[in-house]
Amino acid sequence: MKCFAQAILLLGLGAGNLWGQTYGVPATGQTSIYHASAPNDPGDDGVIRAGYPLTGIRFSAEAQTVTDAGTGLMWQKSDSSDQTIGSLGGKLTWDQAFQYVSAMNVQKLGGYSDWRVPNAKELLSIANLGTFFPATYTIFPNHKSDYYWTGSSWPPGELTLAAVMHFTDGIVNWNASSSDLCYVKATRSAHATPGVRGFPKTGQEQSRRTGDDGDLQAGYPTTGENFADNGDGTVTQKATDLVWQKSDSGFQALGSHSGALSWEDAFAYVAEMNQAGFAGHSDWRLPNYFELYGMIDLGEKFPVFDPIFKSSSHTGRYWASSTSFNGHQGWTVEGNAGIGSFQPKEDLYYVRAVRGGGCAPAPTPTIYPTPPPDPATLRGLPKSGQKASYHAGGGLDRGDDGAV
């Protein structure tokens, strides 16, 4: 299934889609299913596959650039691992990463002079959770399974840590030493227009140096607050139009589920929300890794959530519906410092449900029944030979091979 709209079509739930929005949080790339859909439970990231663009091809390449139709960002096709700019290339310090991008602007790579070091949310957006080592799309042939710099820093008031992402898998962490050596991959806004909706900003407002995340504050909304309280226990993220549960599972019990939960119980918690019609809706789901990381605020700390969530959030980890490529661990985002990592699914973490987001129109499902025999020849698919029945069925359930 491409998105939640298709999942809820099958489950008979209500949809919340963004037909007027062009850019937003892209799909994670996960297509494998580790938790299937069920009544009141739309399933995991592999079932839903929410993300932009809603239709068409996501990436398009030129000789030196790649444009992402999901986020509206343009990327350097190569990176410092195999493209020297000026005298800089390979692994660089954090300051050298900015010098590398400045040299790109002098050279006008691809004809542009507004390249920048990507922020943490931007760099994560091109990770591909459907593969591993590196977690990348084939249109970027030179990504290394290593750390890449971002222009984001934390915590506010100190800015002593720089965010890095590991392209082996998509883990986002903080690096305490800007003198460490990492690769860098530049980005620019291919469709930069003022407005509210689009790929979300990180929330960092303080600047550590010219050209960093706090200086540029790239992303949406370009003006105003990032979130709006709907007054019914939900909060709307203005950039993405995603609607979030205001209180997490530690503050809000649903049915028999509350507090920190296992990955599987996180889905049961959301199913309880849908069964109860929480805030008047029954299309709640567990957010994927990109959506969950996309709602944190790097201008905050302990926890890294917008002030609108502060009194109803924890500093512990939160579950996403995405699964690590090995299939055994679930992706999480830590509330304390915003670290994105995968953890054993048996561990107990918090849940904050979401609804809406990038969903393509769902096609009418097609049913392919077993073809009947040709009455003229009595030829068709042969019987299996099974006569014993182990599941009799009843009602709309016709039973197993022996019963049929």
Side-chain angles (χ1 to χ4, degrees), residues 133-154:
F133 216 89
T136 188
Y137 292 92
T138 55
I139 203 165
F140 299 111
N142 302 309
H143 283 168
K144 300 296 185 287
S145 295
D146 211 324
Y147 281 111
Y148 282 68
W149 286 118
T150 79
S152 301
S153 297
W154 189 84

Side-chain angles (χ1 to χ4, degrees), residues 9-10 42 53 55 108 122 159 164 166-167 177 237 256 261 269 271 291 305 325 333 388:
L9 175 70
L10 298 179
T55 59
K108 293 189 175 181
E122 290 171 334
L159 302 183
V164 291
H166 209 298
F167 258 115
S177 176
Q237 186 175 14
S256 60
L261 304 167
Y269 177 87
E291 291 169 329
F305 296 116
F325 188 70
V333 175

Side-chain angles (χ1 to χ4, degrees), residues 154 174 248-251 260 296 300-305 309-319 332-341 348-352:
W154 189 84
W174 296 106
D248 65 30
S249 60
F251 287 91
I296 65 173
E300 299 291 331
K301 60 181 178 179
F302 317 133
V304 286
F305 296 116
F309 295 103
K310 281 280 190 177
S311 63
S312 53
S313 299
H314 289 79
T315 57
R317 290 188 172 95
Y318 286 75
W319 283 120
T332 67
V333 175
E334 182 199 43
N336 184 57
I339 294 172
S341 64
L348 305 181
Y349 302 126
Y350 296 105
V351 176
R352 172 168 275 124

